[in-house]
Amino acid sequence: MDATLTDGRVFSAGAWKLLFESKRRALGDPLPHPGSNRVYAVEKKTLLMAEDEPPGASLKPLVFRVDETTPEVVQSVLLERGWSKFDQQERNMEDWNLYWRTSSFRMAEHVNVKPWQCLNHHPGTTRLTRKDLLAKCLRHMERLYGTPLYQFLPPTFVMPSDYSKFVAEYFKEKQALDAKLSYWICKPAELSRGRGIIIFSDIKNLIFANTCIIQKYICNPLLVGRYKCDLRVYVCVTGFKPLTIYIYQEGLVRFATEKFDLGNLQNSYAHLTNSSINRSGASYEKIKEVVGSGCKWTLSRFFSYLRSWDVDDLLLWQKISRVVILTVLAIAPSVPFAANCFELFGFDILIDDNLKPWLMEVNYSPGLSLDCSVDVSVKRRLIHDTIELIHLHSLRDERKESCRAANGSPDVSLARKDSGQGSDLPYESFSQLGSRRAFSKDGTPGKRAVTECPENQHPCQPREELSRQEVRPPMREPPKAKPKARARHQALKTPIPRVSLIQSHGREKGLTLCVQPDSSWVPGPQAGNFVLIFPFNEATFGASRNGLNVRRIIQELEKLTHKQCSQVAEEKIKRK
Ligand code: ADP
């Protein structure tokens, strides 16, 4: 049912439902002081519009659809948020707003999606999530753009087609290393959870069947208390056309449960960080040096640990964000257009002892089972924030539509209408975000400025305005003596208090929704713990509209990297 407002704007039934969720939340939360910021005006308008809704319809809850693969935590979070579960017996087949499942959707399902519906997968993304396709894709990008930026995937050979190339490389390296051993890992292309992986240094021990990849084994991982770990970084792509990428500022660190030892390559508990493996290890419950018991930390705890060793975690996070952007960019031009869908990826990143992030793989439908307290705190909130993020996007789309309808022209900024001021681009907003900022106007890291982390800010915030510090030399074994906590590094506060979208918007000046002269919308820089990492400045914003100008975007990333390297070098000189 479409609804027409008194001012003549038309909203679809689905749009109304989304607006009602805002309304309910807004009514539950104190409204910001009138005139306190321009976002207030936008939210107030939403309320007023909802007031015009025909009586009776306003209490209809949002509806989610599941299948037998939908993670339990998704269902419980949606129910907690007041959504209803779709029941085929009781409802019209099309009467749902979100369909969340583990497997992909058929193209026909994408084509037939209704304006009020949203799917949790985007077509064409499996090219990132199959190990062999990912390797081919990134290799292609490196060749095409001739940039060293793509050297974040360990050298990889796709079997069986690259077998002779691998053998040549193996013997070349063997000769170069003389008596020293070289290390390789062989992983089935389509399996997950560490299944079928072998690590070897002698080619005689290589056995493979089916499609797999052989990859250089990173044998100098950053160790925590002598244990290997990797990071699970969550990334939400809310759209490929235009490309819009958010990174989640909390995540998981997964530990091996036995001490790293290159002398025993057969020990999965020492070399693989999959929790599905380590959970069943004899040392899982044991209190392990620095790591403690279990095999998981939150990302915020890990970054706090790094800060305590004077590691520039802001710089590390920016490197990781760059890996994410470059990876998604590799498939972005070729994914088909699909409306009303998003993709939540799990990026597995291994950090080496030079603090270089290496991409291990990208996970489709990253695991959402709650196996320990760390999972509960991270994943529940992740789902809440994902819902906030897609909700924000739906609202923004509707506002864009309403703006067009109300003005009869796409060339009007709703933000301007509401506030009578401000920039069309979100980068001004970034500069107002204080410690939450991911990139400043030119995309460079945040300046040293903020001394305190506000009470309900994300506790991890590795992106806090830390002053640049010298990157520590190899950290395989951190010094035994406990370093002094530094005053400017805030103690972690977990769990993170949940901030609603409206509240967080209300708090931060300048986060506005607007329609650009080219009738594209500007993504919001933050939703819960999701932070926009692409586009990251005006140039990349421009290069992602009306077709993706990948070369231009890579040039911007190169500039940024160059600038950051110079800053690090300058800081080092100053410290000397
Ligand atoms: P799966 O999909 O089976 O989990 P991954 O590629 O994520 O496969 O590898 C599983 C684990 O093996 C990783 O979490 C990491 O600990 C280890 N690993 C994978 N590739 C490498 C590598 N190139 N160097 C070092 N360790 C690796």
Side-chain angles (χ1 to χ4, degrees), residues 247-249 381 384-386 388-389 392 436 458 461 496-501 504-505 508 525-531:
I247 200 164
Y248 200 60
Q249 298 203 97
R381 179 141 192 202
H384 270 294
D385 289 349
T386 306
E388 296 270 348
L389 182 64
L392 166 74
R436 286 181 179 236
H458 192 297
Q461 298 292 331
I496 309 150
R498 200 159 73 73
V499 180
S500 96
L501 191 65
S504 62
H505 262 211
E508 285 163 355
Q526 184 144 17
N529 283 318
F530 277 108
V531 170

PDB file of all heavy atoms in Angstrom, residues 247-249 381 384-386 388-389 392 436 458 461 496-501 504-505 508 525-531:
ATOM      1  N   ILE A 247      33.664  -1.028   7.334  1.00  0.00           N
ATOM      2  CA  ILE A 247      34.439  -2.003   8.124  1.00  0.00           C
ATOM      3  C   ILE A 247      33.901  -1.968   9.556  1.00  0.00           C
ATOM      4  O   ILE A 247      33.455  -0.915  10.028  1.00  0.00           O
ATOM      5  CB  ILE A 247      35.952  -1.671   8.070  1.00  0.00           C
ATOM      6  CG1 ILE A 247      36.791  -2.885   8.428  1.00  0.00           C
ATOM      7  CG2 ILE A 247      36.322  -0.510   8.993  1.00  0.00           C
ATOM      8  CD1 ILE A 247      38.265  -2.764   8.031  1.00  0.00           C
ATOM      9  N   TYR A 248      33.942  -3.112  10.203  1.00  0.00           N
ATOM     10  CA  TYR A 248      33.442  -3.184  11.575  1.00  0.00           C
ATOM     11  C   TYR A 248      34.602  -2.995  12.544  1.00  0.00           C
ATOM     12  O   TYR A 248      35.639  -3.652  12.410  1.00  0.00           O
ATOM     13  CB  TYR A 248      32.771  -4.544  11.804  1.00  0.00           C
ATOM     14  CG  TYR A 248      31.831  -4.526  12.970  1.00  0.00           C
ATOM     15  CD1 TYR A 248      30.748  -3.662  12.982  1.00  0.00           C
ATOM     16  CD2 TYR A 248      32.029  -5.352  14.061  1.00  0.00           C
ATOM     17  CE1 TYR A 248      29.868  -3.635  14.063  1.00  0.00           C
ATOM     18  CE2 TYR A 248      31.152  -5.335  15.142  1.00  0.00           C
ATOM     19  CZ  TYR A 248      30.082  -4.466  15.129  1.00  0.00           C
ATOM     20  OH  TYR A 248      29.225  -4.431  16.204  1.00  0.00           O
ATOM     21  N   GLN A 249      34.419  -2.084  13.475  1.00  0.00           N
ATOM     22  CA  GLN A 249      35.546  -1.732  14.341  1.00  0.00           C
ATOM     23  C   GLN A 249      35.696  -2.648  15.549  1.00  0.00           C
ATOM     24  O   GLN A 249      36.306  -2.281  16.536  1.00  0.00           O
ATOM     25  CB  GLN A 249      35.403  -0.283  14.797  1.00  0.00           C
ATOM     26  CG  GLN A 249      35.437   0.668  13.631  1.00  0.00           C
ATOM     27  CD  GLN A 249      35.859   2.044  14.057  1.00  0.00           C
ATOM     28  OE1 GLN A 249      37.016   2.400  13.932  1.00  0.00           O
ATOM     29  NE2 GLN A 249      34.914   2.789  14.569  1.00  0.00           N
ATOM     30  N   ARG A 381      26.352  -8.069  18.758  1.00  0.00           N
ATOM     31  CA  ARG A 381      26.380  -6.647  18.437  1.00  0.00           C
ATOM     32  C   ARG A 381      26.602  -6.409  16.930  1.00  0.00           C
ATOM     33  O   ARG A 381      26.077  -5.468  16.352  1.00  0.00           O
ATOM     34  CB  ARG A 381      27.479  -5.976  19.258  1.00  0.00           C
ATOM     35  CG  ARG A 381      27.526  -4.544  18.923  1.00  0.00           C
ATOM     36  CD  ARG A 381      27.770  -3.583  19.994  1.00  0.00           C
ATOM     37  NE  ARG A 381      27.463  -2.309  19.378  1.00  0.00           N
ATOM     38  CZ  ARG A 381      27.893  -1.176  19.783  1.00  0.00           C
ATOM     39  NH1 ARG A 381      28.603  -1.107  20.848  1.00  0.00           N
ATOM     40  NH2 ARG A 381      27.568  -0.080  19.144  1.00  0.00           N
ATOM     41  N   HIS A 384      23.262  -6.635  15.356  1.00  0.00           N
ATOM     42  CA  HIS A 384      22.503  -5.405  15.653  1.00  0.00           C
ATOM     43  C   HIS A 384      22.974  -4.281  14.730  1.00  0.00           C
ATOM     44  O   HIS A 384      22.170  -3.585  14.115  1.00  0.00           O
ATOM     45  CB  HIS A 384      22.738  -4.973  17.104  1.00  0.00           C
ATOM     46  CG  HIS A 384      21.759  -5.571  18.076  1.00  0.00           C
ATOM     47  ND1 HIS A 384      20.424  -5.253  18.057  1.00  0.00           N
ATOM     48  CD2 HIS A 384      21.926  -6.454  19.087  1.00  0.00           C
ATOM     49  CE1 HIS A 384      19.800  -5.928  19.029  1.00  0.00           C
ATOM     50  NE2 HIS A 384      20.696  -6.660  19.668  1.00  0.00           N
ATOM     51  N   ASP A 385      24.276  -4.125  14.642  1.00  0.00           N
ATOM     52  CA  ASP A 385      24.814  -3.000  13.863  1.00  0.00           C
ATOM     53  C   ASP A 385      24.611  -3.191  12.361  1.00  0.00           C
ATOM     54  O   ASP A 385      24.464  -2.221  11.625  1.00  0.00           O
ATOM     55  CB  ASP A 385      26.300  -2.788  14.198  1.00  0.00           C
ATOM     56  CG  ASP A 385      26.478  -2.216  15.602  1.00  0.00           C
ATOM     57  OD1 ASP A 385      25.466  -1.812  16.201  1.00  0.00           O
ATOM     58  OD2 ASP A 385      27.612  -2.164  16.093  1.00  0.00           O
ATOM     59  N   THR A 386      24.602  -4.453  11.925  1.00  0.00           N
ATOM     60  CA  THR A 386      24.335  -4.702  10.498  1.00  0.00           C
ATOM     61  C   THR A 386      22.904  -4.277  10.172  1.00  0.00           C
ATOM     62  O   THR A 386      22.645  -3.657   9.143  1.00  0.00           O
ATOM     63  CB  THR A 386      24.548  -6.202  10.161  1.00  0.00           C
ATOM     64  OG1 THR A 386      25.859  -6.571  10.590  1.00  0.00           O
ATOM     65  CG2 THR A 386      24.418  -6.469   8.673  1.00  0.00           C
ATOM     66  N   GLU A 388      21.194  -2.066  11.785  1.00  0.00           N
ATOM     67  CA  GLU A 388      21.196  -0.588  11.810  1.00  0.00           C
ATOM     68  C   GLU A 388      21.700  -0.035  10.477  1.00  0.00           C
ATOM     69  O   GLU A 388      21.147   0.905   9.933  1.00  0.00           O
ATOM     70  CB  GLU A 388      22.138  -0.067  12.908  1.00  0.00           C
ATOM     71  CG  GLU A 388      21.750  -0.413  14.330  1.00  0.00           C
ATOM     72  CD  GLU A 388      20.848   0.623  14.976  1.00  0.00           C
ATOM     73  OE1 GLU A 388      20.701   1.718  14.406  1.00  0.00           O
ATOM     74  OE2 GLU A 388      20.289   0.312  16.042  1.00  0.00           O
ATOM     75  N   LEU A 389      22.755  -0.649  10.000  1.00  0.00           N
ATOM     76  CA  LEU A 389      23.394  -0.145   8.779  1.00  0.00           C
ATOM     77  C   LEU A 389      22.467  -0.282   7.573  1.00  0.00           C
ATOM     78  O   LEU A 389      22.275   0.660   6.806  1.00  0.00           O
ATOM     79  CB  LEU A 389      24.704  -0.910   8.535  1.00  0.00           C
ATOM     80  CG  LEU A 389      25.534  -0.472   7.329  1.00  0.00           C
ATOM     81  CD1 LEU A 389      26.034   0.947   7.487  1.00  0.00           C
ATOM     82  CD2 LEU A 389      26.720  -1.415   7.136  1.00  0.00           C
ATOM     83  N   LEU A 392      19.617   2.086   7.850  1.00  0.00           N
ATOM     84  CA  LEU A 392      20.057   3.439   7.493  1.00  0.00           C
ATOM     85  C   LEU A 392      20.046   3.612   5.973  1.00  0.00           C
ATOM     86  O   LEU A 392      19.592   4.610   5.444  1.00  0.00           O
ATOM     87  CB  LEU A 392      21.472   3.675   8.028  1.00  0.00           C
ATOM     88  CG  LEU A 392      22.213   4.895   7.487  1.00  0.00           C
ATOM     89  CD1 LEU A 392      21.650   6.169   8.094  1.00  0.00           C
ATOM     90  CD2 LEU A 392      23.699   4.799   7.776  1.00  0.00           C
ATOM     91  N   ARG A 436      36.479   8.999  15.994  1.00  0.00           N
ATOM     92  CA  ARG A 436      35.833   7.961  15.211  1.00  0.00           C
ATOM     93  C   ARG A 436      36.232   8.025  13.757  1.00  0.00           C
ATOM     94  O   ARG A 436      35.907   7.148  12.988  1.00  0.00           O
ATOM     95  CB  ARG A 436      34.318   8.120  15.288  1.00  0.00           C
ATOM     96  CG  ARG A 436      33.800   7.693  16.610  1.00  0.00           C
ATOM     97  CD  ARG A 436      32.316   7.858  16.626  1.00  0.00           C
ATOM     98  NE  ARG A 436      31.842   7.414  17.909  1.00  0.00           N
ATOM     99  CZ  ARG A 436      30.924   6.484  18.059  1.00  0.00           C
ATOM    100  NH1 ARG A 436      30.376   5.933  17.035  1.00  0.00           N
ATOM    101  NH2 ARG A 436      30.553   6.124  19.257  1.00  0.00           N
ATOM    102  N   HIS A 458      33.229   3.270  21.050  1.00  0.00           N
ATOM    103  CA  HIS A 458      33.695   1.908  20.872  1.00  0.00           C
ATOM    104  C   HIS A 458      34.989   1.702  21.636  1.00  0.00           C
ATOM    105  O   HIS A 458      35.910   2.483  21.538  1.00  0.00           O
ATOM    106  CB  HIS A 458      33.939   1.702  19.380  1.00  0.00           C
ATOM    107  CG  HIS A 458      34.146   0.300  19.045  1.00  0.00           C
ATOM    108  ND1 HIS A 458      35.195  -0.411  19.540  1.00  0.00           N
ATOM    109  CD2 HIS A 458      33.430  -0.540  18.289  1.00  0.00           C
ATOM    110  CE1 HIS A 458      35.137  -1.639  19.084  1.00  0.00           C
ATOM    111  NE2 HIS A 458      34.069  -1.737  18.316  1.00  0.00           N
ATOM    112  N   GLN A 461      38.386   1.139  19.206  1.00  0.00           N
ATOM    113  CA  GLN A 461      38.885   2.360  18.622  1.00  0.00           C
ATOM    114  C   GLN A 461      40.371   2.346  18.394  1.00  0.00           C
ATOM    115  O   GLN A 461      41.087   3.235  18.821  1.00  0.00           O
ATOM    116  CB  GLN A 461      38.519   3.577  19.506  1.00  0.00           C
ATOM    117  CG  GLN A 461      37.037   3.802  19.656  1.00  0.00           C
ATOM    118  CD  GLN A 461      36.373   4.227  18.381  1.00  0.00           C
ATOM    119  OE1 GLN A 461      36.995   4.851  17.553  1.00  0.00           O
ATOM    120  NE2 GLN A 461      35.150   3.855  18.172  1.00  0.00           N
ATOM    121  N   ILE A 496      30.587  -2.992  24.728  1.00  0.00           N
ATOM    122  CA  ILE A 496      30.357  -1.675  24.161  1.00  0.00           C
ATOM    123  C   ILE A 496      28.890  -1.320  24.330  1.00  0.00           C
ATOM    124  O   ILE A 496      28.031  -2.096  23.956  1.00  0.00           O
ATOM    125  CB  ILE A 496      30.659  -1.731  22.652  1.00  0.00           C
ATOM    126  CG1 ILE A 496      32.019  -2.346  22.432  1.00  0.00           C
ATOM    127  CG2 ILE A 496      30.534  -0.392  22.000  1.00  0.00           C
ATOM    128  CD1 ILE A 496      32.133  -3.079  21.141  1.00  0.00           C
ATOM    129  N   PRO A 497      28.590  -0.173  24.898  1.00  0.00           N
ATOM    130  CA  PRO A 497      27.171   0.181  24.998  1.00  0.00           C
ATOM    131  C   PRO A 497      26.576   0.378  23.608  1.00  0.00           C
ATOM    132  O   PRO A 497      27.215   0.946  22.741  1.00  0.00           O
ATOM    133  CB  PRO A 497      27.169   1.485  25.775  1.00  0.00           C
ATOM    134  CG  PRO A 497      28.565   1.898  25.937  1.00  0.00           C
ATOM    135  CD  PRO A 497      29.463   0.866  25.364  1.00  0.00           C
ATOM    136  N   ARG A 498      25.398  -0.163  23.414  1.00  0.00           N
ATOM    137  CA  ARG A 498      24.810  -0.083  22.083  1.00  0.00           C
ATOM    138  C   ARG A 498      24.231   1.298  21.850  1.00  0.00           C
ATOM    139  O   ARG A 498      23.491   1.828  22.654  1.00  0.00           O
ATOM    140  CB  ARG A 498      23.728  -1.140  21.936  1.00  0.00           C
ATOM    141  CG  ARG A 498      23.429  -1.434  20.500  1.00  0.00           C
ATOM    142  CD  ARG A 498      22.784  -2.782  20.389  1.00  0.00           C
ATOM    143  NE  ARG A 498      21.419  -2.762  20.862  1.00  0.00           N
ATOM    144  CZ  ARG A 498      20.437  -2.194  20.168  1.00  0.00           C
ATOM    145  NH1 ARG A 498      20.667  -1.616  19.013  1.00  0.00           N
ATOM    146  NH2 ARG A 498      19.221  -2.221  20.633  1.00  0.00           N
ATOM    147  N   VAL A 499      24.618   1.886  20.772  1.00  0.00           N
ATOM    148  CA  VAL A 499      24.158   3.233  20.435  1.00  0.00           C
ATOM    149  C   VAL A 499      23.241   3.101  19.241  1.00  0.00           C
ATOM    150  O   VAL A 499      23.610   2.524  18.240  1.00  0.00           O
ATOM    151  CB  VAL A 499      25.364   4.114  20.042  1.00  0.00           C
ATOM    152  CG1 VAL A 499      24.916   5.511  19.697  1.00  0.00           C
ATOM    153  CG2 VAL A 499      26.392   4.126  21.145  1.00  0.00           C
ATOM    154  N   SER A 500      22.028   3.606  19.363  1.00  0.00           N
ATOM    155  CA  SER A 500      21.131   3.449  18.217  1.00  0.00           C
ATOM    156  C   SER A 500      21.546   4.385  17.107  1.00  0.00           C
ATOM    157  O   SER A 500      22.238   5.375  17.317  1.00  0.00           O
ATOM    158  CB  SER A 500      19.687   3.703  18.628  1.00  0.00           C
ATOM    159  OG  SER A 500      19.357   5.035  18.329  1.00  0.00           O
ATOM    160  N   LEU A 501      21.132   4.040  15.949  1.00  0.00           N
ATOM    161  CA  LEU A 501      21.489   4.833  14.780  1.00  0.00           C
ATOM    162  C   LEU A 501      21.069   6.272  14.956  1.00  0.00           C
ATOM    163  O   LEU A 501      21.824   7.204  14.696  1.00  0.00           O
ATOM    164  CB  LEU A 501      20.761   4.236  13.593  1.00  0.00           C
ATOM    165  CG  LEU A 501      21.169   4.736  12.241  1.00  0.00           C
ATOM    166  CD1 LEU A 501      22.590   4.332  11.988  1.00  0.00           C
ATOM    167  CD2 LEU A 501      20.260   4.128  11.206  1.00  0.00           C
ATOM    168  N   SER A 504      23.144   7.985  17.555  1.00  0.00           N
ATOM    169  CA  SER A 504      24.505   8.307  17.125  1.00  0.00           C
ATOM    170  C   SER A 504      24.476   9.400  16.078  1.00  0.00           C
ATOM    171  O   SER A 504      25.327  10.258  16.042  1.00  0.00           O
ATOM    172  CB  SER A 504      25.236   7.075  16.612  1.00  0.00           C
ATOM    173  OG  SER A 504      24.580   6.563  15.500  1.00  0.00           O
ATOM    174  N   HIS A 505      23.450   9.375  15.278  1.00  0.00           N
ATOM    175  CA  HIS A 505      23.343  10.456  14.301  1.00  0.00           C
ATOM    176  C   HIS A 505      23.086  11.766  14.989  1.00  0.00           C
ATOM    177  O   HIS A 505      23.630  12.786  14.649  1.00  0.00           O
ATOM    178  CB  HIS A 505      22.206  10.160  13.327  1.00  0.00           C
ATOM    179  CG  HIS A 505      22.725   9.577  12.066  1.00  0.00           C
ATOM    180  ND1 HIS A 505      22.144   9.753  10.873  1.00  0.00           N
ATOM    181  CD2 HIS A 505      23.806   8.816  11.863  1.00  0.00           C
ATOM    182  CE1 HIS A 505      22.830   9.127   9.958  1.00  0.00           C
ATOM    183  NE2 HIS A 505      23.848   8.544  10.546  1.00  0.00           N
ATOM    184  N   GLU A 508      26.263  13.345  16.347  1.00  0.00           N
ATOM    185  CA  GLU A 508      27.376  13.784  15.525  1.00  0.00           C
ATOM    186  C   GLU A 508      26.937  14.766  14.467  1.00  0.00           C
ATOM    187  O   GLU A 508      26.120  14.473  13.616  1.00  0.00           O
ATOM    188  CB  GLU A 508      28.061  12.571  14.927  1.00  0.00           C
ATOM    189  CG  GLU A 508      28.873  11.924  16.018  1.00  0.00           C
ATOM    190  CD  GLU A 508      29.279  10.528  15.702  1.00  0.00           C
ATOM    191  OE1 GLU A 508      28.859  10.004  14.680  1.00  0.00           O
ATOM    192  OE2 GLU A 508      30.023   9.982  16.511  1.00  0.00           O
ATOM    193  N   PRO A 525      28.822   8.071   7.235  1.00  0.00           N
ATOM    194  CA  PRO A 525      30.132   7.573   7.640  1.00  0.00           C
ATOM    195  C   PRO A 525      30.102   6.536   8.750  1.00  0.00           C
ATOM    196  O   PRO A 525      31.093   5.869   8.982  1.00  0.00           O
ATOM    197  CB  PRO A 525      30.867   8.831   8.092  1.00  0.00           C
ATOM    198  CG  PRO A 525      29.838   9.841   8.320  1.00  0.00           C
ATOM    199  CD  PRO A 525      28.608   9.463   7.565  1.00  0.00           C
ATOM    200  N   GLN A 526      28.991   6.363   9.450  1.00  0.00           N
ATOM    201  CA  GLN A 526      29.018   5.436  10.578  1.00  0.00           C
ATOM    202  C   GLN A 526      27.635   4.886  10.898  1.00  0.00           C
ATOM    203  O   GLN A 526      26.640   5.584  10.770  1.00  0.00           O
ATOM    204  CB  GLN A 526      29.545   6.178  11.804  1.00  0.00           C
ATOM    205  CG  GLN A 526      29.704   5.299  13.003  1.00  0.00           C
ATOM    206  CD  GLN A 526      30.912   5.684  13.818  1.00  0.00           C
ATOM    207  OE1 GLN A 526      31.431   6.772  13.651  1.00  0.00           O
ATOM    208  NE2 GLN A 526      31.333   4.812  14.691  1.00  0.00           N
ATOM    209  N   ALA A 527      27.568   3.642  11.276  1.00  0.00           N
ATOM    210  CA  ALA A 527      26.337   3.051  11.816  1.00  0.00           C
ATOM    211  C   ALA A 527      26.782   2.068  12.869  1.00  0.00           C
ATOM    212  O   ALA A 527      27.424   1.074  12.552  1.00  0.00           O
ATOM    213  CB  ALA A 527      25.544   2.352  10.724  1.00  0.00           C
ATOM    214  N   GLY A 528      26.460   2.347  14.134  1.00  0.00           N
ATOM    215  CA  GLY A 528      26.965   1.501  15.208  1.00  0.00           C
ATOM    216  C   GLY A 528      28.482   1.475  15.118  1.00  0.00           C
ATOM    217  O   GLY A 528      29.138   2.512  15.020  1.00  0.00           O
ATOM    218  N   ASN A 529      29.033   0.265  15.080  1.00  0.00           N
ATOM    219  CA  ASN A 529      30.490   0.149  14.969  1.00  0.00           C
ATOM    220  C   ASN A 529      30.968  -0.006  13.532  1.00  0.00           C
ATOM    221  O   ASN A 529      32.136  -0.309  13.300  1.00  0.00           O
ATOM    222  CB  ASN A 529      30.979  -1.043  15.793  1.00  0.00           C
ATOM    223  CG  ASN A 529      30.992  -0.711  17.263  1.00  0.00           C
ATOM    224  OD1 ASN A 529      31.395   0.378  17.639  1.00  0.00           O
ATOM    225  ND2 ASN A 529      30.525  -1.622  18.079  1.00  0.00           N
ATOM    226  N   PHE A 530      30.084   0.140  12.593  1.00  0.00           N
ATOM    227  CA  PHE A 530      30.503   0.128  11.189  1.00  0.00           C
ATOM    228  C   PHE A 530      30.974   1.523  10.792  1.00  0.00           C
ATOM    229  O   PHE A 530      30.292   2.504  11.075  1.00  0.00           O
ATOM    230  CB  PHE A 530      29.341  -0.266  10.264  1.00  0.00           C
ATOM    231  CG  PHE A 530      29.149  -1.746  10.154  1.00  0.00           C
ATOM    232  CD1 PHE A 530      28.058  -2.362  10.750  1.00  0.00           C
ATOM    233  CD2 PHE A 530      30.047  -2.534   9.455  1.00  0.00           C
ATOM    234  CE1 PHE A 530      27.871  -3.737  10.658  1.00  0.00           C
ATOM    235  CE2 PHE A 530      29.874  -3.911   9.350  1.00  0.00           C
ATOM    236  CZ  PHE A 530      28.788  -4.510   9.954  1.00  0.00           C
ATOM    237  N   VAL A 531      32.118   1.564  10.135  1.00  0.00           N
ATOM    238  CA  VAL A 531      32.653   2.837   9.674  1.00  0.00           C
ATOM    239  C   VAL A 531      32.893   2.754   8.176  1.00  0.00           C
ATOM    240  O   VAL A 531      33.426   1.760   7.685  1.00  0.00           O
ATOM    241  CB  VAL A 531      33.969   3.167  10.426  1.00  0.00           C
ATOM    242  CG1 VAL A 531      34.675   4.346   9.796  1.00  0.00           C
ATOM    243  CG2 VAL A 531      33.673   3.474  11.873  1.00  0.00           C
TER     244      VAL A 531
END
